[in-house]
Amino acid sequence: MTAVLPDSVERGRVLVEPALRAAVERLHPSLRRVAAYHRGWVDAEGNPTETGGGKALRPALALLGAQAARIEAEVAVPAGVAVELVHDFSLLHDDLMDGDTERRHRPTAWTVFGSARALLAGDGLLAIAYQLLDSSAAQSLLARAVDRLVDGQADDLEFEGRLDVTYADYLAMSAGKTGSLLGAAAAVLDVAPSLA
């Protein structure tokens, strides 16, 4: 069963997808295919697919933040794309760390292209994300979010071998691993006057 997304999320996905594709095109050709496959745009051989792309919740939050600030949604596209690229970076790494073999109902990128290419594709996406933000304040906000994301992922890995993880521990881990990017998506325009 496919979830029906709110119009604002679908609008955000449609608005950022061309810029997201352009950002992925900046990767080395061998890594570009890994990232495009991960996003669901192509199959393992590089042929276009009709599926995928993900929900793009983070770009939708950036666009909604712009709307709330009475800024044209298009102004928030670079910020939305940057946060989505960081999300993809984290998923490519997370799949490998967790040994996950399936994402979005198909084999994960590392199982198709190997761990080295999946990690490099993620690293390349992270670098491009920072390049998309003009403001050092926006880059700093994103860096803090990535730092919290890494801390959350480290906690997640540590929790795998523990039997004493509390609900509060889990919530703190989730706040870092997932909440940090959601918060950054909603806040990045506040610190990026060159975008506003």
Side-chain angles (χ1 to χ4, degrees), residues 133-184:
L133 300 174
D134 303 2
S135 152
S136 61
Q139 291 171 345
S140 180
L141 182 140
L142 188 62
R144 287 190 306 274
V146 171
D147 188 43
R148 289 190 305 271
L149 182 152
V150 169
D151 285 349
Q153 181 64 31
D155 285 341
D156 188 23
L157 290 172
E158 181 185 318
F159 292 172
E160 290 176 11
R162 287 179 41 193
L163 299 175
D164 64 339
V165 177
T166 67
Y167 184 64
D169 292 335
Y170 174 79
L171 289 178
M173 179 271 296
S174 293
K177 187 173 171 179
T178 303
S180 62
L181 283 183
L182 292 172

Side-chain angles (χ1 to χ4, degrees), residues 74-88:
E74 291 76 13
V75 173
V77 168
V81 170
V83 175
E84 188 70 1
L85 292 176
V86 172
H87 178 57
D88 284 336

Side-chain angles (χ1 to χ4, degrees), residues 7 13 25 28 30 35 39 50 65 76 78 99 101 104 115 117 125 139 155 172 181 189 195:
D7 289 342
R13 189 187 63 73
E25 281 295 312
H28 184 279
S30 68
R39 293 222 39 94
E50 296 295 320
T101 58
R104 298 182 189 127
S115 57
R117 279 198 175 82
L125 294 174
Q139 291 171 345
D155 285 341
L181 283 183
L189 283 178
L195 295 174

Side-chain angles (χ1 to χ4, degrees), residues 105-126:
H105 310 293
R106 61 190 210 153
T108 52
W110 76 269
T111 65
V112 174
F113 299 99
S115 57
R117 279 198 175 82
L119 290 174
L120 275 176
D123 294 347
L125 294 174
L126 181 63

Side-chain angles (χ1 to χ4, degrees), residues 14-96:
V14 168
L15 192 58
V16 301
E17 187 158 327
L20 194 54
R21 286 180 182 267
V24 169
E25 281 295 312
R26 294 166 63 171
L27 288 171
H28 184 279
S30 68
L31 304 178
R32 186 181 310 144
R33 192 167 95 186
V34 176
Y37 172 85
H38 168 74
R39 293 222 39 94
W41 297 335
V42 300
D43 63 19
E45 288 75 39
N47 301 309
T49 63
E50 296 295 320
T51 63
K55 295 180 288 293
L57 292 175
R58 288 143 198 87
L61 284 172
L63 298 177
L64 287 169
Q67 181 182 352
R70 300 179 193 263
I71 299 169
E72 301 233 0
E74 291 76 13
V75 173
V77 168
V81 170
V83 175
E84 188 70 1
L85 292 176
V86 172
H87 178 57
D88 284 336
F89 146 80
S90 73
L91 294 177
L92 284 161
H93 284 68
D94 184 65
D95 285 344
L96 181 58

